[in-house]
Amino acid sequence: MIRSLRSVHLGAVLACGLLASPVYAAATVNATPRYDAAQRLFRLDAGGVTYAMGVNADGMLQTLYWGARLPASDTLGPALPAPERSSFDPAGALTPQEYAGWGGAMTATPALKVRLDDGNRDVVLRYDSYRVENDGLAIVLKDAQAGVAVTLRYTADDATGIVGRSAHIKNTGKQALTIDSAAAATWNLPRANDYSLRYLTGTWAGEWHLQTRPVTPGATVLESRRGSTGDENNPWFAIGRGDAWNEDHGDVWFGALAWSGSWSIRVDEDILGQVRVVGGFNPFDFAYRLKPGEALDTPVFYAGYTRAGIGDASRLMHAFERDRVLPGGASAALRPVLYNSWEATEFKVDEPGQEKLAEKAAALGVERFVVDDGWFGARDNDRAGLGDWVVNRRKFPNGLKPLIDKVHGLGMSFGLWVEPEMINADSDLYRAHADWVLNFPGRQRSEGRHQLVLNLAREDVKAHVLQVLDRLLTENDIQFLKWDYNRNWSEPGWPEMSPGEQQKVYVAYVRNLYDILRQLRAKHPKVEIESCSGGGARVDLGIMALTDQVWPSDNTDPSDRLSIQDGFSYAYAPATMMAWVTGSPNWVNNRVSSLDFRFLSAMQGGLGIGANLLEWTPAEAATAKTYVAEYKTIRATVQRGALYRLLSPQGRAPWSATMSVAQDGHQAVLFAFQRQGEESRPYPTLALRGLDPQARYRWRAIHGKVAPGTPDVASGAYWMQRGIDLVMKGDLQAAGIVFEREGGRRATR
C-alpha cells in the first residue's frame, strides 16, 4: 500500500508536534511513504535517504535502516528482535526500538517514562495501527492495560531527505498519570564501533564552539536546564563514521531539535555497538500530569543523513531551514542592511540623537534603522522600567512617530528593541503584578541583569504581553522587532497551579511564547522579528519557525566572530545570521582592527552596523558606503547560496575561509582571513568548491590582493583544482573575491 504526501505545508506538521507552533514555509513536496503489509514494514525514501522501520514478532516498532537511498526493489525486512545475550542483556533493551516505553525488561534509555496514580510505572508500547494525517505518516503504539497511546508522526522532505519526528502521548485510561520524561524521537544508527560526535558549546560572548569526541560505550548528554535553549549546548548533533569524516567525505547523521525550552539530547552506545540518539524535553525537574483523555505533544526532532561529509550535512540543513522552516520559506525577503543604535547611545536615546544617527546611516546605504534599549518607561539603565512598554515622553516628547517618519523619509524601515518576557522589580508592572513572575512563595526571587522572568505559562500574563506588543505595533509604523531575552530561569514555580501541575510550566511557557509570536505575525504580517538572547542563547528550529533572523552572539569582535560564525554555520543557515560592524577597539577584548576586516567578517551573514557613526571620519564613512553597496551585489549569494567552509578558524586557528555559491551558479563569493601572520608563512592555496567545472568564471576583488600571474578568467575546474593564491601579510588581514560565471545565469543544479 502506498500513500502519497503531496504539497505539504510544514506548518501543519509542526502544529501536530508542537500544538500550534506553525511554520510559515512555502508548500513543497514530501516523500511518499510505503507500507509493506506482508512484512509490516514502513519505508520513507526522500532526497538521497531511505528510512525504514518494521513491526517485529513482539509487536515492537524497530528501526531497520537509515542511510543512503536504496532502490525501491530492495527488501529491508522482516523486523527481528535482537537475541537475548544473557539474563543481564534482555532483547527489549538491545532491540533498536523507534519509541520505547520504560517497561518490561527495558534497561536502555527509553523515549517515554510514565507513572500512574495507582503506582504502576510499567509501560510497554506495541504497534497498533497507522494512518496518514495532515499529510504525514502516523503510527500508533499502545499499552492498553496501562492506558497509554503514543502516536508517532513522521515527515520526510523530498528535497533534502530530512525526516521530522514527534510524538503525541495520550492518557487513554481511567486514572491520571504523570509523564516523567518524554522524547520527541529515538534515532538508531547502524551498528559500529568507530563513531564520533560533533556538537556545539559556548557561553555568553563565546558561543558556537565545535566539539568532537568519540562515541564510546556509555552516554554523552547535551542539554539545557535553563528554561530556554541556552548557549552552553545547542540542540544540534552530527555523528560520523571513523576519524576521516570531514567537510567533503564521510557518512554523517545529523539532527536538530525544534524546541526553545529546557531540552536534552542523549547519545548512547550499548554493548553491541548500537548507537541511539534520544532527544526531547529535558527530564530534569520535569513532570507532566495527564488526566484521562488529556495528551502531551512533544517538539519535532529533525534529522538527516549524507555520505558526503559534514559540509554537505550543513548545506542540507541550511536548505531545509530556508525553504521549510523560516517564515516565508523560499519566497522570504533577503535580510536588509541594518543599523542598530546601541553602541552609539546605550540607554541615552532621545529623538534628536537618533535622528542624527539615522541620517548618517541612510547616507551609507543602510536599509533598516533600529532603536535599541532605553526608549520606554523609566529606562535610563538596566535596573528599572523593564515591563513598562510605553514610550518615554522625556526622551520622545511626541512619541515615536516623528522619529519613525524621519527614518521612513530617509528610505529606511524602522525597528525597535523589546524584551517582553522580562521585568524589573522597579517597574510599574511589577508593582501592580508581583505575582506574575516565576517564583516559589516565601522563597528568594533571584535576579539576573536586575530582572525577573514573567511567567508566560499564565494565561493572564500571555494576554498582557500580547496586548502591549499589539498596541505598540498598531500605534506605530514599525517594521521590525529585536526580541531579546537576557537571563536564565530561576525558582520556576507556578503557585497558581496545584503542586502536581506546577511543573507543566516548562512546556506551557514555551507554547505560549510561540502563540504570542504567531498571533503577532498574523495581526502584523509585515513586521519582521529577530530572536536574541544575550547573543546566541535562544537559537533553535522552534524559535526560527516564528522569527526571521537570529543574533548569534553579543561578541562583535571581527576575529572572534570568525569562529562564532563558523560554528553557527554547522547547524544554521547564513540567511538567519546577523553580523555587525562595530567600533574599534572592540568593547569585548580591546582588539584593534581595520574597517576592511570588520566589514568582510560581517558580510558572511546578514550585514549590520552597530558602531557610533558620529565618531566615524569622512574617509571611514566613504569606505563603509562602498562595502554596503558591494554587499548588496552579493547578498543573495551569501544568504541563500550553498556555503563551503574552506579553512576552519576553530581552535583559534590563524586562517579562515568560506565560499558561497549562488543557487543558480552564476556567482560565487570567497571570504578569506588571516588572524595573525607568523614566520613569513604564505596564505594557503584555496581550492574552491561548488563551481561548474565546465563553466568559466571571471574574478574581481572587493578587497585584498591576488597573487601575480592569476588568470582573469578560468574554468570552474581550474579554480577547484589549481585554486587561487592570495597575498596576505601581517595580522588581521582579509580578502573578498567575487567570481562571476561568463555567459549568463544558466543553472547548474
Side-chain angles (χ1 to χ4, degrees):
M1 180 179 182
I2 297 176
R3 302 298 296 268
S4 178
L5 311 181
R6 296 298 181 189
S7 300
V8 174
H9 192 292
L10 193 59
V13 175
L14 275 188
C16 296
L18 288 175
L19 276 187
S21 173
V23 177
Y24 299 85
T28 57
V29 177
N30 255 5
T32 300
R34 299 168 182 265
Y35 178 60
D36 184 334
Q39 298 201 51
R40 296 204 295 176
L41 184 149
F42 298 92
R43 176 168 168 166
L44 293 166
D45 294 289
V49 176
T50 294
Y51 190 94
M53 54 209 153
V55 182
N56 65 33
D58 293 334
M60 308 298 180
L61 182 68
Q62 69 179 72
T63 310
L64 295 178
Y65 178 81
W66 180 26
R69 188 161 183 163
L70 300 175
S73 58
D74 284 338
T75 300
L76 290 166
L80 299 174
E84 185 170 292
R85 297 183 71 252
S86 73
S87 60
F88 299 99
D89 307 314
L94 299 178
T95 300
Q97 295 186 58
E98 282 283 288
Y99 201 89
W102 187 73
M106 183 67 178
T107 58
T109 302
L112 178 66
K113 185 177 182 299
V114 168
R115 51 191 162 95
L116 280 67
D117 277 4
D118 66 5
N120 176 51
R121 304 192 305 281
D122 183 74
V123 173
V124 179
L125 297 172
R126 289 186 168 87
Y127 173 77
D128 177 79
S129 59
Y130 87 98
R131 63 183 183 272
V132 173
E133 62 174 21
N134 294 315
D135 295 312
L137 175 65
I139 300 176
V140 181
L141 310 179
K142 287 184 178 180
D143 184 327
Q145 183 179 357
V148 177
V150 177
T151 302
L152 304 180
R153 292 172 172 136
Y154 295 80
T155 60
D157 178 46
D158 208 27
T160 62
I162 290 176
V163 175
R165 292 182 54 189
S166 63
H168 175 82
I169 305 159
K170 186 173 183 179
N171 181 353
T172 59
K174 296 181 179 180
Q175 61 176 308
L177 60 83
T178 299
I179 298 173
D180 291 325
S181 64
T186 297
W187 304 99
N188 295 291
L189 275 62
R191 198 159 49 237
N193 61 359
D194 62 345
Y195 285 116
S196 55
L197 168 69
R198 293 183 184 174
Y199 57 103
L200 295 162
T201 65
T203 184
W204 176 80
E207 300 89 338
W208 308 104
H209 292 282
L210 183 68
Q211 309 291 345
T212 303
R213 66 168 60 178
V215 177
T216 59
T220 297
V221 179
L222 312 176
E223 66 173 356
S224 170
R225 300 181 179 185
R226 301 167 181 262
S228 62
T229 317
D231 47 25
E232 187 175 17
N233 296 152
N234 186 266
W236 168 88
F237 76 91
I239 298 175
R241 291 288 303 275
D243 298 326
W245 61 298
N246 57 28
E247 285 292 316
D248 302 310
H249 305 287
D251 295 299
V252 182
W253 292 261
F254 58 94
L257 186 66
W259 186 243
S260 308
S262 294
W263 60 272
S264 172
I265 295 176
R266 179 182 173 117
V267 180
D268 286 292
E269 181 181 322
D270 69 15
I271 57 174
L272 299 182
Q274 296 177 139
V275 173
R276 294 179 174 90
V277 180
V278 182
F281 299 122
N282 194 317
F284 178 80
D285 197 40
F286 186 87
Y288 201 95
R289 188 166 175 80
L290 295 180
K291 298 174 184 176
E294 292 183 337
L296 170 66
D297 284 85
T298 73
V300 179
F301 200 171
Y302 295 103
Y305 164 83
T306 178
R307 62 196 318 174
I310 189 67
D312 192 56
S314 296
R315 289 185 289 276
L316 288 169
M317 187 63 85
H318 296 171
F320 180 76
E321 291 160 358
R322 290 194 309 263
D323 296 342
R324 304 296 305 274
V325 175
L326 291 172
S331 62
L334 295 170
R335 298 295 87 221
V337 179
L338 174 151
Y339 180 77
N340 182 285
S341 68
W342 173 253
E343 189 167 296
T345 61
E346 295 191 353
F347 294 103
K348 298 177 182 178
V349 299
D350 58 30
E351 186 177 314
Q354 297 297 300
E355 287 188 348
K356 289 180 182 178
L357 287 168
E359 291 169 354
K360 293 284 188 180
L364 302 180
V366 166
E367 298 161 309
R368 172 167 289 163
F369 184 85
V370 182
V371 178
D372 210 280
D373 200 352
W375 59 269
F376 57 91
R379 191 69 167 171
D380 294 320
N381 52 56
D382 62 8
R383 296 175 179 270
L386 204 57
D388 300 334
W389 299 107
V390 293
V391 178
N392 184 312
R393 293 289 175 154
R394 172 171 51 84
K395 299 178 179 183
F396 298 92
N398 299 302
L400 292 174
K401 188 176 188 305
L403 174 60
I404 293 174
D405 289 346
K406 172 78 171 182
V407 168
H408 289 165
L410 292 168
M412 299 182 292
S413 61
F414 182 82
L416 209 56
W417 179 95
V418 294
E419 193 175 5
E421 299 162 73
M422 302 292 168
I423 187 172
N424 287 127
D426 185 4
S427 67
D428 292 341
L429 183 62
Y430 188 78
R431 284 183 280 272
H433 297 286
D435 59 321
W436 278 11
V437 302
L438 293 172
N439 75 96
F440 293 118
R443 303 293 294 175
Q444 72 279 352
R445 298 186 177 190
S446 302
E447 296 187 7
R449 199 177 180 247
H450 311 295
Q451 59 197 52
L452 298 161
V453 183
L454 286 171
N455 184 4
L456 287 194
R458 291 178 52 142
E459 291 301 316
D460 51 356
V461 176
K462 171 190 170 183
H464 171 79
V465 171
L466 180 60
Q467 179 187 40
V468 296
L469 292 176
D470 179 41
R471 183 171 65 239
L472 179 68
L473 295 176
T474 299
E475 295 177 353
N476 298 279
D477 192 5
I478 295 169
Q479 288 73 51
F480 174 78
L481 292 178
K482 183 179 178 70
W483 187 303
D484 215 338
Y485 178 96
N486 275 310
R487 61 157 294 181
N488 302 313
W489 285 19
S490 59
E491 299 92 36
W494 190 357
E496 295 72 30
M497 302 293 282
S498 66
E501 301 278 339
Q502 288 198 24
Q503 285 156 289
K504 286 185 174 181
V505 67
Y506 289 102
V507 176
Y509 182 107
V510 179
R511 286 183 174 162
N512 278 353
L513 167 65
Y514 289 163
D515 198 43
I516 291 169
L517 288 167
R518 180 191 313 104
Q519 290 193 51
L520 282 177
R521 297 194 73 98
K523 292 183 177 182
H524 307 278
K526 295 183 179 180
V527 174
E528 296 180 342
I529 301 173
E530 175 179 290
S531 174
C532 174
S533 179
R538 190 157 69 187
V539 178
D540 60 80
L541 296 186
I543 202 72
M544 287 171 65
L546 293 158
T547 57
D548 303 89
Q549 61 192 51
V550 298
W551 182 232
S553 179
D554 283 347
N555 186 344
T556 57
D557 175 83
S559 179
D560 287 351
R561 267 289 180 137
L562 297 178
S563 297
I564 289 168
Q565 294 170 183
D566 176 83
F568 180 95
S569 74
Y570 281 87
Y572 302 110
T576 69
M577 181 182 73
M578 292 305 296
W580 291 1
V581 176
T582 56
S584 179
N586 189 271
W587 66 273
V588 174
N589 49 31
N590 210 37
R591 182 182 285 126
V592 176
S593 58
S594 69
L595 199 54
D596 300 302
F597 192 91
R598 281 177 273 159
F599 261 100
L600 290 169
S601 176
M603 287 165 70
Q604 295 175 96
L607 178 62
I609 300 174
N612 186 351
L613 301 182
L614 303 179
E615 296 178 349
W616 277 9
T617 66
E620 288 174 317
T623 297
K625 184 175 182 178
T626 299
Y627 275 110
V628 169
E630 285 280 12
Y631 178 74
K632 292 175 182 178
T633 70
I634 62 172
R635 168 168 44 190
T637 298
V638 169
Q639 294 184 21
R640 294 191 175 277
L643 176 68
Y644 296 84
R645 294 179 290 261
L646 306 183
L647 291 176
S648 173
Q650 293 291 322
R652 298 181 174 85
W655 299 307
S656 176
T658 65
M659 181 175 177
S660 298
V661 181
Q663 290 187 16
D664 67 0
H666 81 284
Q667 184 185 75
V669 185
L670 171 66
F671 294 102
F673 304 88
Q674 179 165 283
R675 283 167 159 166
Q676 67 263 1
E678 295 179 355
E679 300 174 348
S680 193
R681 286 186 296 170
Y683 195 83
T685 299
L686 295 175
L688 307 188
R689 293 288 183 267
L691 302 179
D692 181 346
Q694 305 302 318
R696 296 184 64 77
Y697 296 85
R698 179 181 297 274
W699 66 269
R700 65 178 177 85
I702 297 175
H703 177 76
K705 296 181 180 179
V706 173
T710 302
D712 294 334
V713 182
S715 69
Y718 176 94
W719 297 120
M720 292 190 291
Q721 301 302 322
R722 164 58 181 85
I724 189 170
D725 289 309
L726 303 174
V727 179
M728 292 196 197
K729 289 190 176 182
D731 296 341
L732 300 181
Q733 299 296 306
I737 311 296
V738 180
F739 295 83
E740 302 281 358
R741 188 179 60 207
E742 295 196 323
R745 289 176 171 245
R746 176 178 57 85
T748 60
R749 287 182 299 281

